Amino acid sequence: MSGGLWLIYGYGYWAVERKEDGLLVGQVGLADFKREMTPSIEGIPEAGWIFAPDAHGRGYASEAVSALLAWADEAVDAPEIVAIIDPANAPSIRVAERCGFNSREDAVYKGDPILLFRRPAR
């Protein structure tokens, strides 16, 4: 799926490897998943990240998301980037806030409450 994102949108996901041994520890990227949610995020690049449990708390996510957003500021023509995060996912909320997602609002996805974070393009 990620390869198709790159062809269609000019962005997608990257693998995140640990520098010292090349171990895959996660993925980070942008997508437009065509989510039916309120409010709509149709057409807005959505940042996402996922990391292996043993990589949590080591700064990998913050470093990778910061690098993603720096790249997006140069390469993606969009007024903002969004991220949706489960309200119970405190570590991802901290990553979003550390990385400059400064607007946080309640949203609904698949009938469940979700947090919608926004970060203006720079």
Side-chain angles (χ1 to χ4, degrees):
M1 170 163 184
S2 185
L5 290 171
W6 284 99
L7 291 172
I8 294 168
Y9 298 110
Y11 52 76
Y13 272 69
W14 286 279
V16 179
E17 296 180 349
R18 195 165 50 198
K19 287 179 185 178
E20 59 266 19
D21 60 8
L23 181 70
L24 177 67
V25 295
Q27 294 182 1
V28 64
L30 297 175
D32 184 349
F33 291 123
K34 309 291 184 202
R35 297 185 193 275
E36 291 184 29
M37 60 178 284
T38 305
S40 175
I41 59 171
E42 182 73 25
I44 303 171
E46 178 186 339
W49 53 91
I50 185 166
F51 285 80
D54 62 337
H56 292 184
R58 298 174 182 252
Y60 298 136
S62 293
E63 181 179 354
V65 173
S66 291
L68 164 70
L69 295 171
W71 173 84
D73 288 339
E74 297 295 321
V76 177
D77 183 21
E80 68 179 341
I81 305 242
V82 297
I84 64 170
I85 302 173
D86 185 302
N89 190 340
S92 279
I93 290 170
R94 283 192 298 275
V95 168
E97 290 172 341
R98 263 189 223 118
C99 293
F101 287 87
N102 55 13
S103 173
R104 172 175 156 169
E105 59 194 85
D106 293 330
V108 177
Y109 177 58
K110 292 186 176 182
D112 292 322
I114 196 88
L115 294 175
L116 174 61
F117 289 81
R118 297 179 186 271
R119 178 192 173 272
R122 298 192 174 140

